[in-house]
């Protein structure tokens, strides 16, 4: 497959005219005539991504964020962009960008996210420009069919799934040929009246010269009269963001929790009343806070996107729009990963594969929280710590639980590891919590900080998530009953690595049982 063949497929999936005017999409490095080989898809072009492409033999990189975004004064390799372009050129790698055109396209990233959220009655939040111009030409009756056919062949007259779209009305044209003219109708120095048609049709603005040339060549007049108008027509099936309805009304906090789960986040920030019932949802992959007014105009109750500014959050609150904050790269990466399946289908007849880059290109790095060692007030010194974990090898599958009780001085008081038979992960997590609470109460502990790496269990105990699974409800009620016997407790959701002792006990019990 040649690069230009790949670009034709990309144009079909993400037409360039759908890109915002400030964007820069299409081929940015390499030759259209070179071999594409396989395609590496990434959010950004970095040194690590170029190395990955070279090692895997990919001939083209499709990047979501353009490598060349702003006009370059120089392609010198003294600058970062020039250096990356030079390295791509030396490696024979073409680079193409599909940014807002891919976000906005029908079946593009915004549609992918709407599908993952199972939204209904979906439409574009802000319709994309059609990229059309309109031709208005004045044609004698005898030329009409010939001119229409020529201009249609030049790409005019296409609206959606319809071709040869035009409009015409009959009228009368006048002209007076002067010296030097060579009229096809009439005589020099005599005013002529001719029955003509006013012919109108739309066409892609990029095809302007081609359409004018077709009109002039097919028209019998020496100097055909025509006008070209720019159009502000918007598409309904494509554009920035999406807005649609959830299958049923859902509390805002639960919608935020679902977003966190979908985008692989520990938690999702949101604004608004946690119990507010949400039905109509707007979303924008990447950075979409600028579409807040469009979301309000579409009666959306919540907007899911990233890169909010503080004053935008305050303005949304005033307008009654709740916000869910999803990191820029998290939404785009999830959408790109799922859209990749569509690209693969289009490439398969050519025997070409597309793969998602395994390189993390998000520029942000994250440091784990560091607890400062501080002396606690005397009244807090009696707080015990309980780490609990449950796990199943299969869901359901062989399951075990682990719990570790630590006194206020940091000394281990007791631990347990037990095989519980066949169960789901969530059932095992609840049983670990119950067993750990019973162990603590038996030791006379009444002030307890509990650590679990199951965010679901913690949120359900806190009342922030509903217990929808009837199989979990008895365990939930038993855990709540045991917690009520404590004088004071705090329940915390922690990453698995922060719960390593309990996790080791789970695996120990499973290994011993399955040995």
């Amino acid at each position: 497959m040649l690069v230009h063949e790949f670009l034709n497929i990309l144009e079909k999936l993400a037409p360039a005219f759908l890109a915002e005017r400030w964007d820069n999409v299409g081929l940015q490095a390499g030759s259209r005539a070179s071999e594409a080989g396989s395609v590496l898809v990434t959010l950004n072009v970095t040194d690590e991504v170029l190395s990955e492409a070279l090692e895997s033999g990919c001939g083209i990189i499709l990047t979501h964020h353009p490598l060349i975004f702003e006009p370059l004064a120089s392609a010198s390799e003294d600058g970062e962009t020039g250096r990356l372009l030079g390295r791509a050129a030396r490696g024979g790698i073409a680079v193409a960008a599909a940014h807002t055109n891919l976000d906005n396209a029908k079946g593009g990233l915004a549609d992918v996210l709407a599908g993952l959220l199972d939204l209904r009655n979906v439409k574009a939040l802000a319709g994309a420009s059609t990229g059309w111009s309109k031709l208005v030409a004045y044609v004698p009756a005898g030329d009409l069919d010939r001119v229409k056919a020529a201009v249609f062949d030049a790409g005019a007259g296409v609206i959606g799934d319809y071709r040869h779209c035009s409009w015409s009305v009959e009228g009368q044209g006048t002209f007076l040929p002067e010296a030097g003219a060579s009229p096809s109708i009439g005589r020099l120095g005599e005013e002529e009246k001719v029955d003509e048609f006013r012919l109108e049709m739309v066409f892609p603005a990029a095809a302007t010269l081609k359409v004018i040339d077709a009109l002039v060549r097919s028209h019998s007049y020496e100097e055909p009269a025509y006008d070209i108008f720019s159009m502000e027509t918007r598409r309904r099936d494509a554009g920035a963001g999406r807005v649609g309805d959830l299958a049923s009304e859902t509390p805002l906090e639960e919608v935020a929790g679902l977003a966190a789960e979908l985008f692989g986040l520990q938690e999702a920030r949101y604004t608004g009343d946690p119990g507010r019932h949400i039905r109509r949802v707007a979303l924008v992959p990447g950075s979409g806070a600028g579409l807040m007014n469009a979301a309000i105009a579409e009666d959306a109750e919540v907007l899911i996107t990233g890169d909010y500014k503080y004053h935008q959050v305050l303005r949304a609150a005033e307008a009654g729009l709740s916000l869910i904050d999803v990191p820029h790269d998290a939404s785009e990466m999830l959408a790109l990963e799922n859209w990749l399946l569509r690209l693969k289908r289009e490439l398969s007849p050519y025997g070409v594969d597309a793969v998602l880059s395994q390189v993390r290109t998000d520029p942000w790095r994250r440091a784990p929280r560091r607890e400062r060692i501080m002396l606690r007030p005397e009244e807090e010194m009696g707080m015990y710590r309980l780490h609990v974990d449950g796990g199943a090898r299969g869901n359901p599958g062989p399951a075990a639980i682990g719990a570790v009780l630590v006194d206020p001085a940091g000394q281990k008081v007791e631990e347990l590891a037990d095989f519980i038979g066949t169960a789901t992960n969530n059932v095992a997590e609840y049983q670990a919590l119950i067993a750990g609470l019973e162990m603590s109460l038996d030791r006379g502990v009444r002030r307890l900080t509990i650590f679990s790496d199951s965010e679901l269990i913690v949120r359900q105990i806190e009342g922030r998530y509903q217990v929808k699974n009837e199989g979990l409800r008895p365990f939930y009620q038993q855990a709540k009953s045991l917690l009520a016997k404590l004088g004071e407790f705090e329940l915390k959701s922690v990453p698995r690595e922060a719960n390593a002792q309990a996790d080791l006990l789970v695996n120990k019990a499973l290994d011993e049982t399955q040995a």
Side-chain angles (χ1 to χ4, degrees):
M1 174 186 239
L2 299 179
V3 169
H4 81 84
E5 292 175 304
F6 171 76
L7 294 175
N8 289 340
I9 290 173
L10 186 60
E11 181 66 18
K12 173 184 173 183
L13 297 177
F17 70 81
L18 291 178
E20 303 296 337
R21 291 181 179 178
W22 46 262
D23 204 1
N24 185 29
V25 301
L27 186 65
Q28 301 201 319
S31 168
R32 293 175 180 271
S34 64
E35 282 287 341
S38 56
V39 180
L40 183 66
V41 180
T42 182
L43 281 182
N44 303 286
V45 177
T46 65
D47 273 317
E48 293 82 1
V49 170
L50 283 169
S51 295
E52 186 181 16
L54 289 166
E55 290 169 7
S56 58
C58 291
I60 187 166
I61 294 174
L62 175 61
T63 178
H64 188 49
H65 297 137
L67 176 56
I68 304 174
F69 192 64
E70 297 177 344
L72 288 177
S74 166
S76 165
E77 294 198 28
D78 291 338
E80 180 69 5
T81 300
R83 189 179 61 77
L84 293 172
L85 286 170
R87 188 177 175 202
R90 288 190 295 275
I93 297 173
V95 177
H99 192 207
T100 52
N101 54 324
L102 182 55
D103 290 335
N104 296 349
K106 185 177 181 180
L109 302 194
D111 271 336
V112 167
L113 292 185
L116 292 173
L117 283 168
D118 195 26
L119 297 186
R120 320 293 169 83
N121 309 314
V122 176
K123 66 176 184 177
L125 188 56
S129 170
T130 57
W132 285 347
S133 291
K134 178 185 281 190
L135 168 70
V136 176
Y138 300 89
V139 185
D143 289 358
L144 185 62
D145 289 341
R146 182 174 68 253
V147 169
K148 286 169 64 176
V151 180
F152 287 152
D153 284 346
V158 178
I159 302 177
D161 295 327
Y162 296 85
R163 302 178 64 82
H164 294 187
C165 301
S166 69
W167 182 84
S168 58
V169 62
E170 192 170 7
Q172 189 178 73
T174 65
F175 55 87
L176 192 158
E178 295 184 335
S182 180
S184 59
I185 298 175
R187 298 179 181 178
L188 292 177
E190 296 181 8
E191 185 168 305
E192 188 70 34
K193 297 180 180 179
V194 182
D195 290 334
E196 294 180 338
F197 283 85
R198 175 186 168 110
L199 174 65
E200 298 185 14
M201 60 182 73
V202 297
F203 63 90
T208 299
L209 294 179
K210 187 176 179 182
V211 167
I212 292 173
D213 182 62
L215 168 69
V216 172
R217 283 189 292 99
S218 60
H219 203 293
S220 63
Y221 286 2
E222 184 180 19
E223 295 287 348
Y226 65 87
D227 298 303
I228 302 292
F229 297 96
S230 295
M231 299 183 67
E232 291 299 324
T233 312
R234 315 297 291 183
R235 297 175 65 101
R236 295 180 297 172
D237 63 341
R242 294 294 182 267
V243 61
D245 302 319
L246 294 170
S248 60
E249 289 191 346
T250 307
L252 172 60
E253 186 174 44
E254 189 170 333
V255 176
L258 290 171
E261 180 183 5
L262 179 64
F263 295 109
L265 308 173
Q266 287 292 323
E267 59 184 9
R269 296 195 305 174
Y270 69 96
T271 66
D273 177 3
R276 179 188 183 187
H277 285 277
I278 299 295
R279 188 66 178 265
R280 194 156 178 78
V281 176
L283 62 88
V284 184
S287 178
L291 290 173
M292 203 165 64
N293 288 338
I296 293 168
E298 287 290 344
D299 298 319
E301 294 156 309
V302 65
L303 171 62
I304 304 174
T305 190
D307 297 346
Y308 294 108
K309 295 181 180 178
Y310 187 73
H311 72 275
Q312 293 172 322
V313 175
L314 297 179
R315 193 168 76 244
E318 291 174 0
L321 177 69
S322 296
L323 306 175
I324 296 176
D325 186 20
V326 176
H328 188 127
D329 64 302
S331 62
E332 289 182 329
M333 197 65 195
L334 178 68
L336 202 59
E337 183 178 358
N338 283 270
W339 175 81
L340 185 64
L341 300 175
R342 188 176 181 199
L343 178 61
K344 283 176 173 285
R345 286 196 298 269
E346 293 292 335
L347 293 175
S348 61
Y350 296 85
V352 171
D353 193 18
V355 295
L356 190 67
S357 172
Q358 299 303 301
V359 175
R360 177 193 173 97
T361 63
D362 173 19
W364 290 102
R365 295 294 178 260
R366 295 159 180 83
R369 176 176 173 175
R370 297 284 300 272
E371 296 287 350
R372 296 181 65 185
I373 301 173
M374 300 178 65
L375 292 176
R376 287 185 167 189
E378 188 65 31
E379 63 272 16
E380 292 187 9
M381 290 300 291
M383 208 75 169
Y384 280 69
R385 300 197 306 274
L386 174 66
H387 289 262
V388 296
D389 191 24
R393 292 178 179 170
N395 203 20
I401 60 175
V404 181
L405 180 64
V406 179
D407 69 18
Q411 298 298 312
K412 182 164 64 178
V413 175
E414 189 174 351
E415 65 179 35
L416 67 85
D418 194 14
F419 178 75
I420 61 171
T422 300
T424 65
N425 278 310
N426 289 336
V427 167
E429 293 281 4
Y430 261 119
Q431 290 207 30
L433 174 60
I434 291 165
L437 288 171
E438 290 175 338
M439 178 175 70
S440 302
L441 289 167
D442 287 344
R443 285 276 185 169
V445 174
R446 291 298 180 268
R447 305 181 71 239
L448 190 61
T449 301
I450 306 153
F451 301 88
S452 169
D453 56 40
S454 171
E455 184 178 6
L456 173 73
I457 304 303
V458 172
R459 297 292 180 260
Q460 287 181 347
I461 294 293
E462 291 174 339
R464 295 170 65 182
Y465 288 176
Q466 297 178 6
V467 185
K468 295 183 177 180
N469 186 322
E470 290 300 320
L472 293 181
R473 190 168 295 278
F475 299 106
Y476 164 78
Q477 292 171 341
Q478 187 178 357
K480 291 286 284 186
S481 176
L482 290 168
L483 287 167
K485 297 179 181 180
L486 293 169
E488 178 185 352
F489 74 89
E490 185 178 5
L491 189 59
K492 293 186 176 183
S493 174
V494 295
R496 183 172 296 276
E497 55 268 23
N499 211 28
Q501 284 184 300
D503 182 60
L504 285 172
L505 292 171
V506 172
N507 285 298
K508 176 184 176 183
L510 286 170
D511 291 341
E512 290 176 351
T513 303
Q514 296 180 329

